[in-house]
């Protein structure tokens, strides 16, 4: 039997055999709500059933700005949340036991919108509420497999997590669920931001990652030798540095300079755009893979775990696996299915499930735009 207590009287979870979690994620430009049911069977295995998982994308709205416009995103979240939560509750057809909500990192006005909504709902339904770290959620979404929570086995850890999104590029050493150490991160733009900004320079639309990766799809590209005139050599920033940090703003500038140096006719040509897309994608992949392999070797990792929108990139996944094979590094490669790489609330629910097992006290939740994975919420 499940016994969960309300946030106000700060009591703790006693037992858990069965619980329904409603999760809210509004850290950026997607309004996401999920409801999941977690059930423990006699052997202690936890089965997860997704009752509802809704992502309301604001992409079209932000496309004209070439990136996310926070005030607009906040307004959309405020408008969308009541509608989506109502729809999710209807789809689930269940009472909920716990609410989990993203507290950071992310855009502060957007985070507050989700937190305020979740807090009001928790008071109204008299259910506890729990704060979630968005980066941890991107990682923990890998711990659900065929509707079961992975048994946390020692074979998984230590793991190296590569979290790459529109806002973050981080390499994280994971020793267990809840035990993280940031090894390195970007010093300026995130890899996803680089995809988005270079796509904007090329006039391709937003978000840039999926557009560039589609254009860079080698099958669609003319494989005939490139004329000297169309050769593009972009830098691989920091690739040879003995650390786990990244930098992508120089890559963006190099794209801008190359673009500016071309004639109007070349800039608009399909051949140039495709070659440029391929080169941007490859430059980003090369750096991500080189640093990830270094971290794997240096820390004797048993697994590599991917998370964040950029890890939806098929070529990145393929080349990472190839590099592991080529270097005869045998390990688990955990990668979410593509729709779960980008922001969603199912990952927030899974993180909520893990938190609920250890979190004793429920407190008021505050947004923290710069929340780190190794920081207490
Ligand atoms: O994790 P996410 O949905 O939101 C953040 O937390 O930022 O990541 C969004 C980012 C965007 O920059 C988008 O361009 C990038 O992920 N992205 C991709 C792909 N799909 C999304 N980048 C490269 N290849 C993709 N297939
Ligand atoms: Zn994200």
């Amino acid at each position: 039997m499940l016994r969960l207590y309300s946030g106000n009287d700060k009591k703790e979870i006693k037992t858990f055999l069965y619980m329904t979690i409603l999760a809210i994620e509004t850290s950026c430009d997607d309004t996401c709500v999920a409801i999941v049911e977690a059930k423990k069977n006699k052997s202690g295995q936890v089965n997860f059933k997704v009752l509802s998982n809704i992502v309301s994308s604001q992409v079209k709205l932000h496309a004209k700005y070439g990136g996310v416009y926070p005030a607009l995103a906040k307004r959309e979240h405020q408008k969308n949340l009541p509608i989506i939560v109502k729809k999710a509750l209807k789809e689930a057809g269940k009472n909920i036991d716990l609410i989990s909500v993203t507290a950071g990192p992310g855009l502060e006005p957007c985070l507050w919108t989700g937190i305020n909504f979740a807090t009001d709902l928790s008071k109204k339904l008299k259910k506890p509420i729990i704060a979630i770290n968005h980066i941890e959620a991107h990682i923990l979404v890998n711990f659900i497999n065929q509707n079961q929570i992975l048994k946390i086995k020692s074979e998984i850890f230590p793991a190296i997590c590569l979290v790459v999104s529109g806002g973050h590029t981080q390499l994280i050493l994971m020793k267990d669920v809840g035990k993280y150490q940031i090894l390195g991160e970007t010093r300026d733009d995130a890899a996803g931001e680089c995809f988005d900004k270079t796509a904007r320079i090329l006039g391709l639309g937003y978000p840039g990652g999926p557009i560039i990766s589609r254009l860079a799809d080698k099958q669609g590209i003319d494989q005939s030798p490139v004329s000297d005139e169309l050769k593009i050599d972009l830098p691989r920033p920091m690739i040879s540095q003995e650390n786990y940090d990244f930098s992508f703003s120089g890559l963006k500038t190099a794209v801008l300079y190359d673009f500016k140096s071309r004639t109007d006719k070349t800039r608009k040509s399909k051949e140039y755009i495709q070659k440029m897309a391929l080169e941007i994608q490859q430059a980003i992949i090369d750096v991500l893979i080189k640093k990830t392999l270094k971290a794997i070797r240096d820390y004797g990792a048993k697994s590599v775990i991917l998370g964040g929108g950029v890890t939806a990139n098929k070529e990145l996944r393929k080349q990472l696996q190839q590099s592991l094979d080529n270097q005869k590094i045998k390990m688990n490669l955990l990668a979410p299915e593509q729709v779960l790489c980008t922001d969603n609330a199912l990952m927030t629910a899974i993180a909520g499930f893990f938190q609920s097992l250890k979190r004793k006290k429920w407190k008021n939740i505050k947004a923290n735009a710069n929340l780190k994975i190794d920081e207490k919420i």
Side-chain angles (χ1 to χ4, degrees):
M1 204 195 80
L2 170 84
R3 272 178 268 148
L4 281 165
Y5 296 92
S6 118
N8 304 332
D9 46 24
K10 295 203 165 81
K11 285 187 183 161
E12 60 191 74
I13 294 179
K14 296 282 189 221
T15 354
F16 141 71
L17 280 181
Y18 181 99
M19 76 167 122
T20 306
I21 307 169
L22 180 146
I24 294 177
E25 149 60 44
T26 57
S27 66
C28 194
D29 61 340
D30 292 320
T31 318
C32 315
V33 176
I35 301 182
V36 303
E37 188 185 82
K39 233 184 215 171
K40 207 188 253 176
N41 66 21
K42 282 188 189 123
S43 61
Q45 177 65 53
V46 179
N47 293 317
F48 238 69
K49 193 167 167 194
V50 182
L51 304 177
S52 176
N53 184 20
I54 304 173
V55 177
S56 169
S57 168
Q58 302 177 10
V59 159
K60 279 193 189 134
L61 212 67
H62 297 282
K64 58 175 176 274
Y65 303 98
V68 182
Y69 197 65
L72 194 62
K74 174 190 163 179
R75 212 181 62 201
E76 282 303 295
H77 288 314
Q78 281 171 331
K79 204 169 82 189
N80 290 337
L81 270 173
I83 302 165
I84 298 176
V85 167
K86 195 171 166 194
K87 188 170 169 215
L89 284 166
K90 195 171 167 205
E91 275 178 13
K94 282 254 158 76
N95 290 331
I96 59 159
D97 303 302
L98 175 69
I99 297 169
S100 65
V101 62
T102 308
L107 301 171
E108 193 161 331
C110 299
L111 291 165
W112 272 120
T113 310
I115 292 169
N116 289 337
F117 189 91
T119 306
D120 287 349
L121 191 67
S122 125
K123 285 182 184 151
K124 194 169 139 207
L125 301 177
K126 297 196 172 52
K127 297 295 171 190
I129 182 169
I130 202 158
I132 300 301
N133 181 307
H134 181 72
I135 302 288
E136 186 181 24
H138 270 306
I139 293 171
L140 293 180
V141 74
N142 286 285
F143 286 77
I144 179 170
N145 188 15
Q146 293 179 345
N147 291 330
Q148 291 200 322
I149 288 284
L150 283 191
K151 283 239 165 93
I152 307 301
K153 294 186 199 143
S154 54
E155 295 97 82
I156 296 181
F157 304 115
I160 293 295
C161 308
L162 174 69
V163 181
V164 211
S165 67
H168 302 91
T169 305
Q170 286 186 336
L171 274 167
I172 298 163
L173 174 66
M174 179 180 191
K175 291 191 178 151
D176 202 342
V177 174
K179 285 196 186 150
Y180 309 98
Q181 182 192 337
I182 300 171
L183 301 177
E185 58 193 324
T186 183
R187 296 187 181 172
D188 40 58
D189 292 354
E193 198 176 349
C194 185
F195 273 116
D196 296 339
K197 288 180 174 170
T198 51
R200 191 177 183 192
I201 292 169
L202 302 175
L204 297 175
Y206 173 83
I211 302 171
I212 288 187
S213 89
R214 234 175 289 126
L215 283 164
D217 181 358
K218 288 194 177 118
Q219 285 166 356
I221 292 187
D222 179 6
Q223 298 292 330
S224 56
V226 186
S227 60
D228 273 353
E229 197 203 330
L230 261 193
K231 276 230 162 79
I232 304 167
D233 283 313
L234 295 178
R236 270 63 173 160
M238 296 183 73
I239 196 161
S240 302
Q241 288 191 17
E242 286 294 309
N243 55 35
Y244 311 101
D245 284 345
F246 303 92
S247 164
F248 291 104
S249 88
L251 179 57
K252 168 194 67 191
T253 312
V255 172
L256 181 65
Y257 284 160
D258 188 280
F259 185 75
K260 279 188 169 169
S261 73
R262 306 287 175 174
T263 61
D264 208 37
K265 189 170 167 234
T266 305
R267 286 179 193 173
K268 289 189 179 130
S269 73
K270 191 175 162 203
E271 197 188 1
Y272 173 71
I273 294 291
Q274 282 193 331
K275 300 278 184 240
M276 184 57 115
L278 186 62
E279 180 65 8
I280 293 169
Q281 176 174 274
Q282 198 55 51
I284 293 174
I285 290 177
D286 284 349
V287 187
L288 292 177
I289 291 184
K290 177 93 186 283
K291 299 263 172 166
T292 306
L293 292 185
K294 174 174 164 51
I296 288 170
R297 267 189 245 102
D298 292 355
Y299 287 88
K302 294 180 185 160
S303 328
V304 56
I305 299 178
L306 303 184
V310 176
T311 64
N313 189 286
K314 280 195 203 134
E315 213 37 50
L316 169 65
R317 294 158 86 121
K318 190 173 108 193
Q319 292 187 28
L320 177 59
Q321 185 63 63
Q322 278 168 351
S323 303
L324 291 170
D325 294 345
N326 290 345
Q327 303 202 12
K328 306 214 172 350
I329 305 174
K330 280 218 163 68
M331 61 164 50
N332 314 303
L333 171 58
L334 274 65
E337 58 178 290
Q338 279 180 303
V339 283
L340 296 180
C341 290
T342 44
D343 289 348
N344 63 87
L346 176 54
M347 67 186 198
T348 320
I350 294 168
F353 166 76
F354 280 106
Q355 287 277 355
S356 73
L357 300 179
K358 62 176 189 171
R359 183 67 60 88
K360 299 275 189 269
K361 296 255 165 80
W362 313 95
K363 43 185 177 180
N364 287 339
I365 297 175
K366 291 195 179 77
N368 181 348
N370 301 312
L371 185 66
K372 298 279 181 199
I373 196 165
D374 50 2
E375 217 179 303
K376 279 220 159 61
I377 303 183

